[in-house]
Amino acid sequence: GAVVSQHPSRVICKSGTSVKIECRSLDFQATTMFWYRQFPKQSLMLMATSNEGSKATYEQGVEKDKFLINHASLTLSTLTVTSAHPEDSSFYICSAHPAQGNEQYFGPGTRLTVT
Amino acid sequence: GEDVEQSLFLSVREGDSSVINCTYTDSSSTYLYWYKQEPGAGLQLLTYIFSNMDMKQDQRLTVLLNKKDKHLSLRIADTQTGDSAIYFCARGGGYNKLIFGAGTRLAVHP
């Protein structure tokens, strides 16, 4: 089956630093990748849609300069949280959508803690 | 109210059936989905239903869709402790986006 990996699975960083999270589709090419944020005991909030080779489309209220998304290849998208603050602490999940079909495949998530 | 709504908690006895309900307001979605999330993990697609279907059965899972009432349900037969997780209902939001409900936490007890 289709596998999506995220790296790292868990990261702790200091306030003011930047953190990069990688999302990879391991056995298929993903024309579109999505980044979600999940607060404890809450649903997934879509942050942005990333299409390979083009700029990401951000959802309303998501700061594009703070959450930098790069989708440089059909198997890799990265999310960089810049100048992280404690309120950015959350569980970040990516999903990948192949060119064919109507399913999205989710990564295992990255837990970010900003101290 | 929210676009996709679910009750937040369900507790069932092992071996019983579980029914998780979901309502939505936008009926334009072509597909509706059920995902399962175990603690600290990503989402696993359980099943999905095409919007012109009323029912879909897949082993222990039965999905019922009432388009008129904009109501979706997931029935898990013979619920086991391994079924304890959070179950998310989602609808397709255009451009392959997914709009999720808040999730229903299913607790299975002996």
Side-chain angles (χ1 to χ4, degrees):
Chain A
V3 179
V4 176
S5 70
Q6 280 185 242
H7 177 79
S9 58
R10 188 181 292 264
V11 58
I12 301 172
C13 71
K14 291 186 176 180
S15 189
T17 62
S18 295
V19 174
K20 180 185 284 189
I21 303 170
E22 291 185 349
C23 177
R24 291 181 187 273
S25 56
L26 298 186
D27 50 3
F28 66 97
Q29 292 186 327
T31 51
T32 305
M33 287 185 170
F34 300 89
W35 286 96
Y36 295 85
R37 184 174 179 177
Q38 186 180 30
F39 292 100
K41 298 184 179 180
Q42 293 190 28
S43 186
L44 281 74
M45 181 192 79
L46 179 64
M47 298 175 67
T49 303
S50 166
N51 291 298
E52 187 264 339
S54 61
K55 289 184 179 180
T57 302
Y58 289 81
E59 295 298 303
Q60 193 172 6
V62 178
E63 299 175 61
K64 64 176 71 173
D65 295 329
K66 180 165 186 62
F67 299 100
L68 300 178
I69 291 172
N70 183 282
H71 192 162
S73 77
L74 285 171
T75 59
L76 173 65
S77 176
T78 61
L79 167 68
T80 302
V81 183
T82 63
S83 186
H85 289 283
E87 56 265 31
D88 298 325
S89 298
S90 191
F91 194 54
Y92 292 87
I93 302 176
C94 74
S95 70
H97 197 289
Q100 305 288 337
N102 55 46
E103 291 189 33
Q104 284 184 34
Y105 300 95
F106 284 79
T110 297
R111 182 159 303 283
L112 169 64
T113 304
V114 184
T115 61
Chain B
E2 297 295 328
D3 187 343
V4 180
E5 293 194 349
Q6 303 176 237
S7 53
L8 295 181
F9 189 74
L10 177 65
S11 178
V12 299
R13 191 185 301 262
E14 192 173 10
D16 287 351
S17 292
S18 308
V19 179
I20 302 171
N21 294 301
C22 173
T23 59
Y24 55 94
T25 56
D26 189 328
S27 58
S28 64
S29 301
T30 303
Y31 293 94
L32 295 118
Y33 304 83
W34 283 103
Y35 284 86
K36 176 183 180 182
Q37 184 181 35
E38 298 187 15
L43 272 67
Q44 172 195 355
L45 177 64
L46 286 178
T47 186
Y48 61 92
I49 188 168
F50 191 50
S51 59
N52 69 353
M53 296 170 64
D54 298 325
M55 186 187 85
K56 180 179 179 181
Q57 186 157 4
D58 183 0
Q59 299 182 330
R60 291 193 297 124
L61 305 178
T62 303
V63 178
L64 295 178
L65 175 60
N66 182 326
K67 281 197 74 172
K68 175 176 170 289
D69 294 338
K70 299 178 187 173
H71 182 268
L72 182 73
S73 68
L74 174 69
R75 178 177 181 269
I76 306 172
D78 187 25
T79 312
Q80 302 298 307
T81 54
D83 295 324
S84 295
I86 301 175
Y87 291 81
F88 290 95
C89 162
R91 68 171 186 85
Y95 300 103
N96 297 319
K97 291 182 186 180
L98 291 175
I99 311 297
F100 286 90
T104 299
R105 185 176 295 272
L106 174 64
V108 183
H109 56 88

